[in-house]
């Protein structure tokens, strides 16, 4: 099976450093999402893996063989990859069937086998009745399926997906997410999926790699990424986290007692945390607007946004350092800007104190 | 080095160098072709001035005939540009922004002068306004027999060149109009500006670069025009530079080459000044707008729209329709001056033209010349455009600029440059091309390469780079990608390029008028000579046939339009 190893990859465009010593290891059959804001380098990394661009330093190994180093470069056409493009990149002068069969033509696959594999791929994405259509006659979702069928027919063991859902509307996106998940399960292919949509990344991937400013900040399972972010940026980027400056009073095994303003509360904490100033990541669903209790924090409502099941409230904390927090409030409790409220912290995660040495905060 | 036991990948570095070599060889070949055809002859033109010597240059420049011709060239071209700006600007504003019914049809009528070559347009107008006019005669408005045609004058030249180059301004202003988002007009309306005020305060200032660019191009075209100054100016004793060069060369032959080279450089200089102005205008136009949404549209009442449509028709019928009808009338009337009735109608002029061996030869010559130059240019344009865009190759971009030169400069300048380059046999090879059809072919290849290159470049530009990348992912090497992905994607544009070259080369006169010799006449030369001999009806018949071929090519291009990148065919609304 095909694995992918990226070691210390560096890439600049002119003066601008786009990838700064990025390393990651993708297991055969794994589904990894590259997630980050636009301009973070995730698409460049994908293009380096595809071999569209050369790298400046580091190495990329595919199936255990070096395909990109600073000195050698295996051209894209010899890497045996599959790719689904954001623009789908269907060849407009070829029918759906010819699009899917192209890679097999290039490989000189015998006619009978080619027919079988193309038909199978098209059936697997539900397009068996559209084989003779031209790409221009298809809807966005159907084009996406053709692009997917192209990689399925080629039986690539590594499939790269470059924001494949960005051009689809919200409903179709969910359907296609299910489709990708099913196809990943059925083919067992290694998939590298670039997206800027975190809900997509969390929903689909086995592991999510968060990239920012050319750095790979954290690569982890969706659950760990959400519950155990490695630093302030990742904490804020994923799941609308708020970061609260606190004082760690006492670190235990996996938990810590922290103080903020007048109150104190218990949060999860990485191993080896020490007492002293620290930062805590809080998710909106874990900060509730409630009656005053001993451990709640006094705050003033800045704005409130009704979301259906509840109200998302942005508050300014009154005690301690000035700090904003996103909290939730039951939909039936009225809140308006300027109100004084109390925030109850149910759960939180103390960010690791050490320098960014390890990219995985797994416990 | 690839540290891998995987033999499939061990071959890679060699394949890479091979690919790089291949593209280097290709680029070298393209450079040789473009530089040899488009740059070297022009350099020889400069060199000729050097050999001629400064005294001769000074003498030619100081000659009263030179000064007068230069003055008249500028005078008539400025006048014609004013006519083009007013007509083209008005038509673009009405058709582009007020959107009357039948816009596609009207746009085609606007562009008819572009499809009818200058010498035929001149002929058609002479037939329309002369004493023997079939159309004016029918309504009793023809001038008295024996009177001079009023078009044999400065004003006639200005009017005809103005109409001939009006489509250039029209296209420039229409393109400018399309880049103005309607939001800007709506914002003006919300700020309380009425239609006239927003037109004046918002639309016109934004269109200024377009008018400037279109005007400069129309001016350069007028400076280089040969057909109209030849057919109207020579009998009208209003000699412009192109006609002067023609007269000198046909009167004295190659012995006056030095003198003629000086004249053609003077002509080139005037055109280059205009084209430089156009370059500045375009550079300024590029920074203007980054709006989105629908292009600008005026809200006009139904009554105003009808009035505007009528005004457009009142302009276009005399400018585009009547001359062609006059020409057709003359081509079927038994003798000039007779009113056209069923009794006086005849097809004998067509029969005469088609049975005349010189005429038949001219049609055949133009056919093979235009077909050969179109196909060869396409074969050069496709790899050149590909190198330029997909490889982002700087040399290829320089070559693209070089290819623009012979099309932008007046055709007479190209002719003189080619005479100078090929008057003597080609060094080393010892082949003499002067006086053969091959010389005309080479000049066409130089002049029309730009026409072929533009649509192909547009197609490559419009092509999603991911299409090529997807083929690489699928494992396709450069040759397979060229054959199965790139060529099919640009094939319609390459076809359009072929048709555009055929369209221009088939009826071309400016280049062939100076390069033709017995046996190598072109259709343009045929029409010109027939008219020169006083055979107006024969010239009319040959013109109608020639224009019919052009219109057929245009119709063919329209038929394949849905596969073309947007904007390749100017008459597509």
């Amino acid at each position: 099976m095909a694995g992918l190893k990226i070691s210390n990859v560096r890439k600049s465009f002119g003066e601008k450093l786009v990838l700064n010593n990025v390393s990651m290891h993708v297991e055969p059959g794994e589904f990894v999402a590259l997630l980050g804001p636009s301009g973070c380098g995730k698409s460049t990394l994908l293009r380096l893996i595809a071999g569209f661009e050369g790298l400046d330093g580091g190495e990329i190994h595919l199936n255990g063989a070096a395909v990109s180093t600073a000195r050698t470069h295996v051209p894209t056409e010899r890497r045996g990859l599959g790719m689904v493009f954001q623009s789908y990149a269907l060849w407009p002068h070829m029918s759906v069937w010819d699009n899917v069969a192209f890679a097999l033509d290039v490989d000189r696959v015998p006619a009978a086998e080619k027919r079988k594999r193309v038909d199978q791929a098209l059936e697997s994405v539900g397009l068996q009745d559209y084989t003779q259509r031209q790409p221009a006659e298809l809807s966005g979702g159907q084009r996406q399926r053709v692009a997917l069928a192209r990689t399925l027919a080629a039986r690539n063991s590594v499939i790269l997906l470059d924001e494949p859902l960005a051009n689809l509307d919200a409903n179709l996106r969910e359907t296609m997410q299910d489709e990708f998940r099913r196809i990943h399960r059925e083919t067992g292919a290694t998939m590298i999926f670039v997206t800027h949509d975190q809900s997509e990344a969390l929903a689909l991937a086995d592991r999510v790699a968060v990239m920012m400013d050319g750095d790979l900040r954290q690569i982890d399972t969706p659950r760990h990424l959400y519950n155990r972010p490695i630093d302030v940026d990742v904490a804020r980027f994923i799941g609308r986290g708020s970061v609260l400056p606190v004082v760690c009073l006492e670190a235990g095994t996996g938990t810590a007692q922290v103080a903020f303003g007048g109150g104190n509360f218990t949060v999860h904490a990485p191993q080896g945390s020490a007492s002293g100033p620290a930062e805590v990541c809080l998710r909106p669903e874990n900060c509730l607007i409630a009656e005053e209790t001993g451990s709640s924090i006094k705050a003033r409502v800045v704005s409130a946004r009704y979301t259906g099941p509840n109200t998302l409230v942005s508050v300014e904390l009154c005690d301690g350092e000035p700090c904003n927090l996103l909290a939730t409030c039951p939909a039936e409790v009225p809140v308006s800007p300027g109100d004084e409220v109390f925030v109850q912290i149910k759960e939180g995660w103390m960010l690791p104190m050490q320098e960014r040495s390890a990219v995985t905060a797994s416990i | 080095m690839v540290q891998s036991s995987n033999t499939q990948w061990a071959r890679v570095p060699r394949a890479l160098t091979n690919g790089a070599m291949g593209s280097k060889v290709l680029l070298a070949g393209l450079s040789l072709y473009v530089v040899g055809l488009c740059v070297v002859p022009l350099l020889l033109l400069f060199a000729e001035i050097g050999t001629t010597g400064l005294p001769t240059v000074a003498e030619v420049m100081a000659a009263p005939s030179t000064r007068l011709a230069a003055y008249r060239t500028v005078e008539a071209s400025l006048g014609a540009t004013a006519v083009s700006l007013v007509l083209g600007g008005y038509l673009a504003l009405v058709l582009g922004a007020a959107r009357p019914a039948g816009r596609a049809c009207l746009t085609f009528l606007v562009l008819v002068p572009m499809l009818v070559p200058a010498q035929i347009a001149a002929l058609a107008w002479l037939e329309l306004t002369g004493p023997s006019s079939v159309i004016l005669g029918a309504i009793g408005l023809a001038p008295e027999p024996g009177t001079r045609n009023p078009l044999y004058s400065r004003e006639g030249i200005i009017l005809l060149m103005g109409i001939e180059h009006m489509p250039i301004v029209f296209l420039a202003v229409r393109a400018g109009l399309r880049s103005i988002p309607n939001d800007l007009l709506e914002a003006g309306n919300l700020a309380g500006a009425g239609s006239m005020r927003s037109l004046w305060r918002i639309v016109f200032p934004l269109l200024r670069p377009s008018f400037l660019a279109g005007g400069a191009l129309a001016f350069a075209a007028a400076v280089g025009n040969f057909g109209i100054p030849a057919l109207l100016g020579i009998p009208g004793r209003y000699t412009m530079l192109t006609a002067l060069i023609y007269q000198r060369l046909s009167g004295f032959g190659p012995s006056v080459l030095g003198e003629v080279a000086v004249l053609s450089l003077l002509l080139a200089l005037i055109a280059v000044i205009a084209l430089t102005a156009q370059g500045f205008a375009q550079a300024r136009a590029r920074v203007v707008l980054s709006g989105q949404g629908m292009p600008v549209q005026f809200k006009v009442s139904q009554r105003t729209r009808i009035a505007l449509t009528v005004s457009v028709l009142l302009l276009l019928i005399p400018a585009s329709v009547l001359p062609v009808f006059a020409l057709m009338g003359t081509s079927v009337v038994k003798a000039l001056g007779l009113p056209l009735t069923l009794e006086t109608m005849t097809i004998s002029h067509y029969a005469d033209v088609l049975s005349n061996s010189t005429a038949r030869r001219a049609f055949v010559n133009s056919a093979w010349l235009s077909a050969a130059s179109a196909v060869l240019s396409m074969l050069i344009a496709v790899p050149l455009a590909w190198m330029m865009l997909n490889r982002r190759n700087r040399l290829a971009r320089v070559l693209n600029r070089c290819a623009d030169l012979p099309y932008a400069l007046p055709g007479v300048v190209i002719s003189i440059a080619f005479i100078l380059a090929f008057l003597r046999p080609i060094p080393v090879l010892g082949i003499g091309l002067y006086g053969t059809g091959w010389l005309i072919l080479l000049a066409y290849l130089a002049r029309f390469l730009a026409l072929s290159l533009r649509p192909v470049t547009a197609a490559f530009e419009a092509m999603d780079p991911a299409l090529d990348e997807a083929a690489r992912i699928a494992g396709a090497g450069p040759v397979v990608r060229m054959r199965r992905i790139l060529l099919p994607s640009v094939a319609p544009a390459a076809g359009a390029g072929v048709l555009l070259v055929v369209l221009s080369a088939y009826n071309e006169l400016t280049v062939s008028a100076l390069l033709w010799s017995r046996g190598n006449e072109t259709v343009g030369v045929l029409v010109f000579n027939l008219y020169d001999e006083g055979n107006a009806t024969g010239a009319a018949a040959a013109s109608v046939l020639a224009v019919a071929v052009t219109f057929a090519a245009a119709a063919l291009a329209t038929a394949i339009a849905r596969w073309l990148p947007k904007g390749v065919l100017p008459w597509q609304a």
Side-chain angles (χ1 to χ4, degrees):
Chain A
M1 282 307 281
L4 176 68
K5 202 173 114 202
I6 295 167
S7 330
N8 302 315
V9 163
R10 269 181 297 111
K11 176 73 180 172
S12 308
F13 288 120
E15 294 286 287
K16 197 178 179 309
L17 185 65
V18 210
L19 291 175
N20 181 20
N21 275 325
V22 172
S23 299
M24 68 165 90
H25 197 123
V26 179
E27 295 297 331
E30 206 179 5
F31 195 141
V32 170
L34 300 180
L35 174 68
S38 55
C40 70
K42 56 190 192 297
S43 288
T44 305
L45 183 58
L46 198 75
R47 292 179 66 78
L48 285 177
I49 299 171
F52 294 139
E53 318 267 356
L55 40 67
D56 298 337
E59 292 184 358
I60 297 177
H61 290 255
L62 201 59
N63 290 327
V67 291
S68 287
T69 72
R71 281 174 308 159
T72 56
H73 182 86
V74 175
T76 304
E77 46 267 42
R78 302 232 184 139
R79 295 193 178 196
L81 298 166
M83 182 156 175
V84 177
F85 292 81
Q86 184 175 359
S87 63
Y88 317 137
L90 301 186
W91 299 299
H93 55 286
M94 295 186 196
S95 68
V96 166
W97 205 91
D98 290 339
N99 260 282
V100 177
F102 182 81
L104 308 189
D105 283 345
V106 171
D107 262 358
R108 304 222 163 83
V109 173
E113 195 199 336
K114 179 172 83 177
R115 176 159 296 278
K116 202 182 95 200
R117 273 163 67 177
V118 173
D119 287 341
Q120 221 169 38
L122 282 169
E123 197 174 328
S124 142
V125 297
L127 285 180
Q128 60 275 27
D129 298 332
Y130 293 83
T131 53
Q132 290 317 310
R133 298 279 184 100
Q134 295 293 312
E137 299 168 309
L138 302 179
S139 70
Q142 288 168 335
R143 285 179 208 191
Q144 182 60 267
R145 286 163 197 270
V146 178
L148 195 54
R150 234 168 25 182
T151 65
L152 293 181
R155 304 231 169 118
N156 302 115
S157 52
V158 177
I159 298 177
L160 310 176
L161 303 119
D162 186 11
E163 306 226 14
L165 303 178
N167 291 335
L168 298 179
D169 64 45
N171 283 332
L172 209 48
R173 212 175 292 170
E174 287 191 8
T175 318
M176 286 310 293
Q177 281 185 18
D178 293 340
E179 201 85 328
F180 284 139
R181 211 179 287 116
R182 176 178 67 81
I183 286 184
H184 177 243
R185 204 171 51 230
E186 287 175 5
T187 60
T190 310
M191 289 188 166
I192 315 282
F193 184 103
V194 164
T195 180
H196 63 265
D197 180 339
Q198 47 172 296
S199 65
E200 208 168 274
L202 297 179
L204 280 173
D206 296 328
R207 282 195 300 158
V208 177
V210 179
M211 298 187 63
M212 282 172 174
D213 300 325
D215 289 323
L216 175 61
R217 293 292 176 84
Q218 184 170 4
I219 176 163
D220 227 326
T221 63
R223 265 167 220 285
H224 267 138
L225 197 67
Y226 191 79
N227 293 324
R228 310 272 186 269
I230 190 132
D231 63 20
V232 177
D233 296 330
V234 176
R236 291 204 168 114
F237 181 66
I238 303 285
R240 287 182 297 204
S242 313
V243 174
L244 202 62
V246 296
V247 176
C248 176
L249 302 173
E250 194 194 338
T253 27
T255 59
Q257 189 73 18
V258 298
F260 177 85
N264 57 33
F265 45 93
T266 309
V267 293
H268 298 287
Q271 299 252 324
S273 301
S275 27
E279 286 169 312
V280 165
C281 165
L282 298 170
R283 302 293 176 198
E285 65 272 20
N286 292 329
C287 305
L288 304 179
I289 306 280
E291 297 295 310
E292 180 181 6
T293 64
S295 60
S296 57
I297 306 169
K298 199 168 146 198
R300 189 179 299 105
V301 175
V302 177
S303 66
R305 195 166 68 212
Y306 177 66
T307 62
N310 47 38
T311 308
L312 204 55
V313 189
S314 171
V315 298
E316 189 180 27
L317 301 183
C318 299
D319 302 332
E321 290 180 56
C323 183
N324 279 350
L325 198 64
L326 265 184
T328 45
C329 174
E332 62 276 10
V333 179
V335 280
S336 43
D339 287 357
E340 292 222 334
V341 292
F342 288 92
V343 180
Q344 177 82 48
I345 310 276
K346 271 177 60 193
E347 217 179 297
W349 161 252
M350 199 167 87
L351 298 173
M353 307 294 293
Q354 77 272 31
E355 285 298 300
R356 257 188 251 125
S357 53
V359 281
T360 306
S362 316
I363 302 168
Chain B
M1 283 286 103
V2 180
Q3 304 121 356
S4 154
S5 58
N6 192 327
T7 50
Q8 191 195 343
W9 289 340
R11 292 187 354 241
V12 169
R14 209 179 116 226
L16 263 184
T17 31
N18 280 350
M21 268 304 283
S23 71
K24 267 183 194 142
V25 169
L26 182 60
L27 196 58
L30 291 173
S31 313
L32 203 65
Y33 180 94
V34 174
V35 172
L37 274 179
C38 303
V39 181
V40 170
L42 290 172
L43 290 179
L44 288 175
L45 186 59
F46 270 105
E48 179 69 18
I49 309 290
T51 33
T52 307
L54 272 183
T56 321
V57 175
E59 197 182 307
V60 174
M61 295 299 267
S65 62
T66 308
R67 294 175 158 213
L68 190 60
Y71 173 77
R72 283 176 168 169
T73 297
V74 173
E75 178 190 51
S77 299
L78 282 176
T81 304
V83 173
S84 299
L85 281 172
V86 171
L87 275 180
Y90 179 76
L91 290 170
L93 279 174
V94 172
L95 292 187
R99 314 198 145 235
R103 235 162 5 109
C105 233
L106 292 174
T107 306
F108 181 77
L109 285 184
V110 173
L111 297 170
V112 161
M114 224 162 69
L115 293 176
V116 180
Q119 72 280 8
I120 293 182
L123 206 60
W125 275 87
L126 288 171
E127 298 307 336
L128 177 64
T129 56
S132 58
S133 169
V134 168
I135 289 177
L136 292 187
I139 51 173
L141 282 179
E144 288 295 307
T147 53
R148 238 165 81 89
N149 194 311
L151 289 180
Y152 289 135
S153 63
R154 176 181 68 187
E155 289 68 27
I157 292 178
I158 288 177
L159 176 70
L160 256 63
M161 290 205 306
I163 291 174
E164 181 78 7
H165 305 133
M166 165 270 281
I168 298 174
V169 176
F170 173 82
L171 291 174
V173 174
R174 191 180 67 170
L177 213 49
R178 283 181 179 169
S179 72
I180 303 177
N182 203 35
D183 302 359
L184 295 186
L185 206 63
E186 282 173 351
N189 289 343
L190 286 172
S195 331
M196 280 323 279
R197 206 184 169 87
S198 3
L199 183 68
W200 195 247
R201 293 284 303 274
I202 299 169
V203 178
F204 273 144
L206 290 173
L207 282 181
R208 205 178 299 142
S210 309
F211 272 104
L212 206 57
L217 283 176
F219 180 81
V223 167
N225 197 317
F226 172 68
I228 291 168
L231 263 76
L232 303 186
I234 294 176
R237 306 204 171 282
Y238 186 84
T239 310
M240 291 165 58
L241 274 175
T242 48
L244 182 68
I245 292 171
Y246 171 77
Q247 283 178 317
R248 286 286 148 85
L249 203 61
S250 55
F252 302 95
S255 63
V256 291
L257 265 180
E259 188 190 333
V260 169
V262 178
L263 290 177
S264 59
L265 271 186
L266 180 60
L267 187 67
L269 188 71
I270 300 174
V272 164
I273 291 171
L275 293 171
T276 312
Q278 186 252 343
F280 278 121
Q282 214 142 56
R284 272 186 47 190
R286 202 166 298 147
V287 291
V288 184
L289 301 165
S290 59
Q292 287 179 349
M294 293 289 288
V296 73
Q297 251 184 66
F298 300 126
K299 288 189 199 70
V300 289
S301 67
Q302 194 58 28
R303 257 174 60 193
T304 321
R305 182 165 296 159
I306 291 169
L308 288 172
T309 313
V310 170
S311 75
V312 166
L313 280 174
L314 285 178
L315 285 175
L316 287 179
I317 288 174
S320 296
V321 182
L322 287 185
V324 177
F325 281 172
L327 192 67
M328 288 160 75
T330 303
S331 73
V332 294
V333 77
K334 266 181 188 153
L336 271 187
L338 286 180
L340 188 62
T341 62
L342 277 179
E343 288 84 65
T344 61
M345 221 188 249
T346 173
I347 55 160
S348 66
H349 307 307
Y350 287 93
D352 288 347
V353 166
L354 290 176
S355 63
N356 178 325
S357 66
T358 313
R360 274 218 310 269
R361 199 165 57 207
F363 279 100
V364 172
N365 281 341
S366 278
W368 82 258
L369 281 170
S370 54
S373 48
V375 171
L376 277 171
S377 297
M378 190 263 285
L379 292 179
I380 295 297
V382 169
L384 186 58
W386 183 64
M387 286 269 172
M388 198 164 64
L389 286 154
N390 285 37
R391 293 289 166 99
R392 290 181 173 58
N393 188 307
R394 189 180 290 176
L395 176 60
R397 260 179 289 179
V398 172
L399 292 180
N400 185 41
R401 286 289 175 84
C402 292
D404 265 343
L405 271 183
Y407 189 67
L409 290 175
V412 172
V413 177
I414 306 308
S415 308
I416 303 295
F418 268 78
I419 293 176
L420 282 168
F422 293 99
L423 189 60
R424 286 173 289 274
I426 305 172
V428 187
L429 297 176
I431 308 168
L433 295 182
Y434 190 72
T436 70
W438 301 107
L439 182 58
I440 303 181
L441 177 65
L442 287 181
Y444 281 5
L445 286 174
R447 183 145 169 87
F448 298 123
L449 179 59
L451 276 184
S452 187
L453 204 49
R454 275 175 209 167
V456 181
T457 312
F460 274 125
E461 256 168 10
M463 196 176 140
D464 182 359
L467 293 181
D468 187 44
E469 289 173 353
R472 291 174 68 182
I473 282 282
V479 178
V480 176
R481 296 205 308 274
M482 193 72 185
R483 188 167 54 83
R484 292 209 45 193
I485 307 295
L486 299 174
L487 282 184
S489 307
V490 300
V498 166
L499 283 167
L500 285 177
V501 174
V502 168
L503 222 55
S504 313
Y506 191 76
N507 272 323
E508 190 282 335
L509 172 66
T510 320
V511 171
S512 52
L514 296 182
L515 298 183
W516 75 280
S517 51
R518 244 194 115 56
N520 300 314
E521 301 88 350
T522 62
V523 172
V525 171
L526 171 76
V527 170
F528 187 68
N529 286 353
L530 283 173
Y531 188 76
D532 219 28
E533 292 160 9
N535 184 355
T537 47
S543 300
V544 171
L545 290 175
V547 169
V549 171
T550 320
F551 276 64
L556 195 59
T558 313
I560 62 163
R562 66 194 207 89
W563 294 286
L564 295 177
K566 263 190 146 173
V568 165
L569 297 181
W571 54 87
Q572 291 275 299

